[in-house]
Amino acid sequence: MSANLDWGNLSFAYIKTPYRYVSNFTGGKWDEGCLTEDDKIVLSECAGVLQYAQTVFEGLKAYTTADGRIVTFRPDLNAERLVSSAKRLEIPVFPEERFLDAVDKVVAANRDYVPPYGSGATLYLRPYLFGSSEVIGVKPAKDYQFRLFCTPVGPYFKGGVKPITIRVSDFDRAAPRGTGHIKAGLNYAMSLHAIVDAHNNGFDENMYLDAATRTYVEETGGANFIFITKDKKVVTPLSDSILPSITRRSICYVAEHYLGLTVEHRKVALEEVKDFAECGLCGTAAVISPVGKIYDHGKEICLPSGMSAMGEITQKLYDTLTGIQMGTIEAPDGWIREIK
Ligand SMILES: *Cc1c(COP(=O)(O)O)cnc(C)c1O
């Protein structure tokens, strides 16, 4: 039976659900792992995650398709990305097949919390790894935990999609050869001041530039950019310090193989942004958020797509990708994983 929640009015906030999956790494190996109802973690005051932020995470969604199946979208890519994130922070790898099994188990156990088709809401899944044993001299922890919980979240844009206004940030997100390409909490900790300051000044998000030269576009705190040129090419910034968004990679595939558009993955200079026709932010939460305006130190770049709706190509990309996710458009092989 479906949980008694007001699906259309949920926000992006944590709601405790009955089950989560936990596996511990002790004595040099992962234990069997299991579902548990215990939402609390008891840790040493000196745990590695608390002292030196040794933690990486993922984010993906489960939802109900038009024909009533409960599915996840490309969870194999989340499993793979968690492996590369873990390696960069000296965290033992959680095997990809075990990650997929944990996703299946948590969604199945909490199936009453998967929002119905058409509600716009989804069940957001948060897998993560963290150093759980004591660390005081700087080194990796000995013991770790993998945990995966879920929480139902509302439609990202309530009452319709609205283009957002962003600003070019004076802070940097990620250094060359740093950790920008992995999904680590530390990349978010340092972005909190910048986002609070952006909000205080009336902006929805920060556009980060490359830290070395501050001339190329990187990404926002938690979403990749796509740009559409006036001749309808899809352009996405290339950089070693951008987090490889699964949504962005999926959009590029859809652009090429479903819509017949040309896709360019290349460096994008801030200087050329004024020449684009459309701009969007891609991530699991909103799929695509259209950007209407970019503020750059007194100069405003107003995208021709305007402040009232998604641009034409952005809309097509959004409709096609969400159609694939919801099962109304045929998905490429392996993109949709059904939960039995
Ligand atoms: C998670 C994340 C994204 C979006 O990735 P998706 O796989 O599409 O959800 C983009 N940028 C950063 C910094 C992220 O952490």
Side-chain angles (χ1 to χ4, degrees):
M1 215 191 57
S2 183
N4 190 20
L5 293 172
D6 184 4
W7 302 115
N9 284 307
L10 294 173
S11 55
F12 201 91
Y14 175 76
I15 296 173
K16 186 181 156 188
T17 56
Y19 296 99
R20 66 278 301 123
Y21 181 94
V22 176
S23 181
N24 289 302
F25 184 91
T26 45
K29 61 180 199 310
W30 288 106
D31 70 10
E32 234 172 62
C34 62
L35 288 171
T36 170
E37 290 182 76
D38 191 355
D39 62 322
K40 298 289 187 286
I41 300 171
V42 178
L43 277 180
S44 163
E45 62 188 354
C46 199
V49 60
L50 300 177
Q51 303 312 319
Y52 303 122
Q54 198 187 10
T55 178
V56 293
F57 69 102
E58 273 302 322
L60 67 160
K61 299 193 290 200
Y63 50 91
T64 310
T65 58
D67 60 358
R69 292 173 299 146
I70 292 177
V71 304
T72 50
F73 181 73
R74 310 188 78 179
D76 53 314
L77 297 187
N78 296 98
E80 186 184 293
R81 195 168 61 187
L82 189 66
V83 168
S84 71
S85 296
K87 285 180 177 166
R88 181 63 175 80
L89 292 197
E90 289 295 329
I91 295 173
V93 161
F94 193 67
E96 292 175 49
E97 64 283 1
R98 287 206 53 198
F99 178 102
L100 294 172
D101 180 55
V103 166
D104 292 351
K105 283 195 165 88
V106 168
V107 177
N110 295 290
R111 69 169 60 237
D112 296 349
Y113 289 80
V114 181
Y117 174 72
S119 64
T122 55
L123 186 69
Y124 183 76
L125 309 179
R126 171 52 59 86
Y128 58 114
L129 288 163
F130 60 92
S132 53
S133 58
E134 297 81 356
V135 176
I136 193 75
V138 177
K139 60 174 183 295
K142 272 202 184 65
D143 301 339
Y144 295 84
Q145 182 168 114
F146 169 84
R147 181 172 281 252
L148 197 173
F149 67 81
C150 62
T151 180
V153 295
Y156 196 81
F157 293 104
K158 281 201 192 114
V161 175
K162 267 210 211 66
I164 59 171
T165 301
I166 66 176
R167 73 162 181 199
V168 176
S169 178
D170 287 329
F171 299 100
D172 294 323
R173 190 189 86 88
R177 296 170 290 278
T179 56
H181 61 299
I182 64 164
K183 215 165 171 74
L186 59 90
N187 290 331
Y188 280 78
M190 65 85 224
S191 76
L192 297 175
H193 174 63
I195 193 65
V196 168
D197 188 62
H199 289 165
N200 286 342
N201 286 285
F203 302 103
D204 297 300
E205 272 294 346
N206 286 301
M207 169 187 271
Y208 290 106
L209 302 179
D210 77 288
T213 71
R214 302 193 55 81
T215 49
Y216 294 99
V217 175
E218 295 254 306
E219 59 172 322
T220 66
N224 285 182
F225 279 104
I226 52 162
F227 296 100
I228 312 295
T229 63
K230 288 185 176 135
D231 58 354
K232 302 188 192 323
K233 281 189 199 131
V234 178
V235 178
T236 69
L238 176 69
S239 155
D240 290 341
S241 45
I242 291 177
L243 191 283
S245 158
I246 294 164
T247 313
R248 188 256 301 159
R249 286 182 271 164
S250 303
I251 286 168
C252 290
Y253 184 92
V254 161
E256 221 173 314
H257 296 90
Y258 283 65
L259 302 179
L261 301 170
T262 301
V263 176
E264 289 177 359
H265 192 41
R266 61 165 171 84
K267 286 174 122 184
V268 174
L270 174 61
E271 211 17 64
E272 68 176 299
V273 169
K274 61 178 185 345
D275 301 325
F276 289 122
E278 303 174 31
C279 171
L281 299 177
C282 332
T284 294
V287 184
I288 309 179
S289 310
V291 175
K293 208 185 278 184
I294 303 168
Y295 181 85
D296 176 19
H297 304 91
K299 283 182 297 193
E300 271 185 357
I301 301 171
C302 296
L303 279 301
S305 51
M307 289 303 293
S308 55
M310 272 195 191
E312 179 204 337
I313 301 296
T314 306
Q315 185 76 53
K316 278 192 185 149
L317 291 166
Y318 179 87
D319 290 346
T320 311
L321 183 57
T322 53
I324 288 170
Q325 291 179 328
M326 292 301 162
T328 57
I329 296 174
E330 195 178 337
D333 266 359
W335 278 27
I336 304 294
R337 183 177 172 97
E338 189 172 347
I339 313 294
K340 303 287 182 188

